């Protein structure tokens, strides 16, 4: 196979003392942490759209990314070549999983049938490349947001034929995910929301979204696809309001429409920020409902109010994510998919390597710090003690649901005024800093 990243060797672990920028300083895939190799905890994935299709344009200027392998044409040949480049990248960076949208890997053609036919031929090539390099599909998805036909939404479009087009795309994307042994399939409702309520029947649109997802579940069952379905929350952008706005809204929707048995959440850090939450908050909400499936690993910028999709390099962030993942018992079908792009100024192919190395090293450190925090048990001991008044006595009866307002009225009248203990937030923040 031709080498497109010539001059870049396979990235190896060289340890924290190395000053080689094209080496891992912390991510050592086979090193055991909490009884498991790092790579099995982290299950890194690369996003095809950002690695291969993101030209690094912004609303004020054209793309800057150098992609010498890409002739810019919407041809099958170009699509096949890009796939070769991507698998060379996966091999050299040492990432086992990847994710794609249908339109990332194969273009829109003259008719829907031609589009699907080319897509499945390209998918077959992905299948061969997977076999050659031992790479795996973390999840597949369909792009129901770029084409102008989806301007008013896909499953939530007021136009029923658009709903049908979207269904056709998702059916074929599920077929492809199944053929490639994909461990999951993601729904991100890119335009499933509204620009204004002045022209929108929200109840009807949300009903249609649920109908669409039920059709996906039924179809997967009919072809024997048993991968995990995910919904990816995001509050806005491109829509003013998206129906899958945050983890709690998604869970409520899934419960209301009897879909919770079939879906878990794919949480993205930058989307949590846009929703006005921390990623830790979103993870606690999802884990509390036994519904955390996978993670789109990135970060936003505190100074910018949009989805900057930066590579995750903040150690507080990676530590907080890994703390919760470890407590959950780790991923089952999910992984840490770098839904992240380089800055527009970082336009050279080698920057793809620097970017992923940084994210992988940051998560390796987060994993090690989190494992140590859990092993020491200082935070969990503190939290346990903080709630200990519910372990026995009247607190125990409250948790066991053995008492009501009548009992508590009598009880409260007979006791001294409650004495509070300190929450010690600052002390605990200092302890966290000691670990970092
Ligand atoms: C958009 C986003 C998507 C999904 C997949 O903000 O995160 O790339 O991850 O459609
Ligand atoms: Co994402």
């Amino acid at each position: 196979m031709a080498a497109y990243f010539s001059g870049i060797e396979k990235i190896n672990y060289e340890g924290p003392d190395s000053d080689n920028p094209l080496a891992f300083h912390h991510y050592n895939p086979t090193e055991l942490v909490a009884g498991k190799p790092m790579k099995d905890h982290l299950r890194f994935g690369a996003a095809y759209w950002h690695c291969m299709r993101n030209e690094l344009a912004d609303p004020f200027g054209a793309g800057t990314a150098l992609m010498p392998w890409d002739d810019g044409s919407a041809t099958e040949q170009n699509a096949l070549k890009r796939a070769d480049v991507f698998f060379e990248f996966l091999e050299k960076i040492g990432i086992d999983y990847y994710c794609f949208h249908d339109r990332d890997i194969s273009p829109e053609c003259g008719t829907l049938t031609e589009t699907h036919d080319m897509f499945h031929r390209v998918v077959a090539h992905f299948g061969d490349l997977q076999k050659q390099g031992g790479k795996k599909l973390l999840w597949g998805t369909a792009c129901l947001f770029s084409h102008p036909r989806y301007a008013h939404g896909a499953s939530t479009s007021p136009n029923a034929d658009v709903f049908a087009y979207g269904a056709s795309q998702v059916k074929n994307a599920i077929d492809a995910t199944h053929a490639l042994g994909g461990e999951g399939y993601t729904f991100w409702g890119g335009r499933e929301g509204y620009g204004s309520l002045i022209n929108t029947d929200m109840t009807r649109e949300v009903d249609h979204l649920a109908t669409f997802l039920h059709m996906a579940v039924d179809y997967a069952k009919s072809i024997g696809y048993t991968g995990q379905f995910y919904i990816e929350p995001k509050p806005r952008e491109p829509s003013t309001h998206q129906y899958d706005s945050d983890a709690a809204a998604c869970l409520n929707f899934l419960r209301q429409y009897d879909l919770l048995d079939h879906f878990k959440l794919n949480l993205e850090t930058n989307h949590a920020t846009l929703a006005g939450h921390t990623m830790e908050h979103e993870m606690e909400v999802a884990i509390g409902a036994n519904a955390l499936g996978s993670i789109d690993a990135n970060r936003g910028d505190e100074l910018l109010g949009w989805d900057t999709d930066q590579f995750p390099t903040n150690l507080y962030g990676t530590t907080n994510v890994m703390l919760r993942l470890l407590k959950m018992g780790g991923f089952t079908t999910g992984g840490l998919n770098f839904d992240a792009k380089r800055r527009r100024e970082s336009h050279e192919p080698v920057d793809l390597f620097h970017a992923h190395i940084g994210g992988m090293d940051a998560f390796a450190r987060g994993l090690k710090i989190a494992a140590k925090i859990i092993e020491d048990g200082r935070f969990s001991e503190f939290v346990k003690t903080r709630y200990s008044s519910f372990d026995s006595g009247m607190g125990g009866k409250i948790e066991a649901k053995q008492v009501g307002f009548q009992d508590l009225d009598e009880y409260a009248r007979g006791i001294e005024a409650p004495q509070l203990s300190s929450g010690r937030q600052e002390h605990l923040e200092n302890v966290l800093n000691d670990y970092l």
Side-chain angles (χ1 to χ4, degrees), residues 338-408:
F338 289 114
D339 191 353
K341 64 185 182 207
R342 297 163 287 157
R343 299 306 85 195
R344 188 165 179 269
E345 301 89 327
S346 312
H347 62 297
E348 294 178 6
V350 68
D351 291 309
L352 272 179
F353 287 86
H354 291 306
H356 285 83
I357 288 169
M360 292 161 84
D361 268 348
F363 266 102
R365 291 176 77 177
L367 167 63
K368 285 199 230 173
I369 296 164
K372 179 90 177 81
I373 288 174
I374 290 174
E375 189 192 312
D376 291 355
R378 290 166 74 184
F379 291 96
S380 53
E381 223 15 78
F382 181 88
V383 174
K384 194 162 168 267
T385 308
R386 190 162 181 239
Y387 291 86
S388 58
S389 65
F390 283 94
D391 291 345
S392 58
M394 191 49 95
K397 287 186 184 155
I398 293 171
E399 283 204 348
K401 298 173 180 49
Q402 289 166 349
V403 290
F405 270 7
Q406 195 66 50
D407 310 293
L408 291 174

Side-chain angles (χ1 to χ4, degrees), residues 47 49-50 100-101 139 141-145 186-190 232-234 236-238 242 266 268 271 274 296 298 307 309 337 339:
W49 54 100
H50 284 310
F100 69 83
H101 303 81
W139 48 261
T141 187
C143 176
L144 304 184
F145 45 88
T186 292
F187 288 87
W188 168 60
E232 182 175 326
K234 183 175 182 182
R236 59 178 170 278
E237 205 198 331
Q242 285 173 214
N266 178 38
E268 176 165 327
H271 296 180
L274 291 177
D296 271 9
N298 63 15
D307 197 9
D309 279 352
N337 167 47
D339 191 353

Side-chain angles (χ1 to χ4, degrees), residues 11 114 201 313 371 407 412:
I11 308 300
E114 283 164 12
D201 187 337
T313 51
D407 310 293

